[in-house]
Amino acid sequence: FSWTPTYLRDAVPGGAAWAGGAVTVFWVAMTVGRFATGALIGRIPLMRLNGTLAAGGALAAVVALAAPGPAAATVGVALSGLCFSGIFGLILAETAERFPNVAGTALGGVVAAGG
């Protein structure tokens, strides 16, 4: 979402100040989503939770990109932050769970690929 301020400033009416505010909403939603994801771990299988977050985040990103105005774009940005928040951590947790004997190497590979 590093491209979000430029996109929102140029494509959605509202200007740079609004775009900066929308990005703030994204990062606040990311923080809330990380706490919520942490509360769901152990209650929902990791891959199901990850798939649900990925699908929700993709749908929310479409809403943000197709929004006709600032209010709808802000909702899409907030929901995408909420959904995308837990994906990387869940991938790390799933990797460690699937490959406990080589967790260090596997996690290193995931982090390197994520970079």
Side-chain angles (χ1 to χ4, degrees):
F1 266 83
S2 60
W3 53 269
T4 306
T6 303
Y7 171 77
L8 292 174
R9 183 194 68 217
D10 295 345
V12 180
W18 172 81
V23 173
T24 299
V25 167
F26 172 81
W27 286 109
V28 168
M30 284 282 283
T31 302
V32 171
R34 286 183 176 157
F35 283 108
T37 300
L40 293 173
I41 291 175
R43 298 177 186 189
I44 300 172
L46 295 177
M47 290 305 287
R48 183 178 304 150
L49 180 55
N50 212 7
T52 301
L53 290 175
L59 182 62
V62 168
V63 169
L65 292 172
T74 301
V75 169
V77 167
L79 290 174
S80 65
L82 193 66
C83 290
F84 288 146
S85 64
I87 292 174
F88 188 68
L90 288 171
I91 290 170
L92 292 173
E94 180 70 21
T95 300
E97 190 175 279
R98 286 187 184 212
F99 306 103
N101 295 335
V102 292
T105 302
L107 291 173
V110 170
V111 172

